[in-house]
Amino acid sequence: MTETPEGSAQETFISHLVELRDRLLRAIIAVVVVMLALFPWAKDIYAILAKPLLAVLPAGASMIATDVTGTFLVPLKVTAMAAFVIALPYVLWQAWAFVAPGLYQHEKRLALPVIVSSVMGPAGTITQAMRGWPSASRRGISSSSVRASVPSAD
């Protein structure tokens, strides 16, 4: 049986979908592996990120869990985000490996600034968050709605 042009186009489309699935699975597996590696330190990671907020809380005040599963899920979610940030270079490499074969050479040269910004962007965000979080927390805690709910030290 002879193959029609539509059949070959369909096969090409399917092969692209299979490659996309493989790349996505590799990226997801990388994030999960990093998350499993970080899981024993989930509470420590959470404590490091919560330290700026705890520093500006009024005396005698503490952070509380607002639901039953919060004490487990919040550190787990923070660890998942940390795992994603750590695995981000590999995730971006998988995205690049899928997209790059379809680009022209002059388009590939334009990718270097995107790659540099994708690495420097999260690093800058983390740095600014750690620097800006204490002042934002002080401003938020000093608002009247929060002040009314925090017991005074008197």
Side-chain angles (χ1 to χ4, degrees), residues 58-110:
S62 64
M63 295 191 328
I64 61 167
T66 57
D67 61 354
V68 176
T69 60
T71 56
F72 174 73
L73 288 181
V74 171
L76 186 65
K77 289 176 185 178
V78 170
T79 303
M81 289 304 295
F84 179 73
V85 170
I86 291 169
L88 191 60
Y90 184 76
V91 171
L92 292 174
W93 172 255
Q94 291 299 321
W96 176 252
F98 177 73
V99 171
L103 297 177
Y104 292 111
Q105 190 60 37
H106 69 278
E107 293 172 330
K108 289 181 183 179
R109 275 181 277 162
L110 294 175

Side-chain angles (χ1 to χ4, degrees), residues 7-91:
S8 64
Q10 182 70 17
E11 184 177 291
T12 304
F13 180 70
I14 296 296
S15 67
H16 286 302
L17 288 178
V18 168
E19 183 182 358
L20 177 61
R21 182 195 64 193
D22 290 344
R23 299 278 180 193
L24 286 173
L25 283 175
R26 289 178 190 166
I28 291 168
I29 288 170
V31 172
V32 169
V33 166
V34 173
M35 187 175 150
L36 290 174
L38 291 177
F39 184 73
W41 298 282
K43 291 204 182 270
D44 297 327
I45 294 169
Y46 175 73
I48 289 169
L49 293 176
K51 190 181 290 188
L53 179 60
L54 290 171
V56 298
L57 282 176
S62 64
M63 295 191 328
I64 61 167
T66 57
D67 61 354
V68 176
T69 60
T71 56
F72 174 73
L73 288 181
V74 171
L76 186 65
K77 289 176 185 178
V78 170
T79 303
M81 289 304 295
F84 179 73
V85 170
I86 291 169
L88 191 60
Y90 184 76
V91 171

